[in-house]
Amino acid sequence: SIRSHAPASVVVPTVVLLERARQLNRAGLDGAAEMALFVSAGGIVLESFGPSEAIRSARLAPLDAPSWSRLARDAMIAGHVSEGDVLWTANPRDFMELGIPRTQLVDVTRL
């Protein structure tokens, strides 16, 4: 299990890797190369989106279509957050809307 790594390990859901690579591609950069370097240089552990994450995501996911359209990727990321985990994000409000407690969120825009 990914969670068996050292407590201070950095775990990145693969859906986050996808989202960031897409943003880099949109900015004209090679998103795949940039993210591969980030993962290897940072000692990052990638966590796949498996059945337990999907089930947690479904419990957190909004039921109405407009909210789902806006929060679908965040719901998939939130599905990786377990008790005791801390999620670093630039959008804490979205994750609070999905039910992640404020105490488990770090707003990176305030660092």
Side-chain angles (χ1 to χ4, degrees):
S1 164
I2 294 299
R3 302 208 189 281
S4 65
H5 286 68
S9 66
V10 176
V11 177
V12 175
T14 53
V15 68
V16 171
L17 187 76
L18 162 77
E19 177 65 7
R20 185 65 182 135
R22 184 189 67 79
Q23 291 167 346
L24 291 169
N25 289 341
R26 188 178 60 207
L29 301 170
D30 183 347
E34 294 285 333
M35 293 313 299
L37 179 62
F38 168 74
V39 169
S40 65
I44 304 297
V45 175
L46 291 176
E47 183 170 88
S48 64
F49 188 76
S52 61
E53 291 80 19
I55 290 167
R56 271 197 303 271
S57 295
R59 287 185 186 129
L60 299 169
L63 299 178
D64 62 292
S67 293
W68 172 248
S69 294
R70 184 173 57 81
L71 295 170
R73 285 187 303 263
D74 289 340
M76 288 186 276
I77 294 166
H80 290 268
V81 180
S82 296
E83 187 176 326
D85 290 343
V86 177
L87 175 66
W88 292 52
T89 178
N91 300 306
R93 287 183 192 177
D94 290 348
F95 289 98
M96 286 188 292
E97 187 175 337
L98 291 168
I100 302 297
R102 179 70 181 110
T103 56
Q104 287 185 259
L105 299 169
V106 172
D107 184 347
V108 298
T109 65
R110 296 182 179 216
L111 298 178

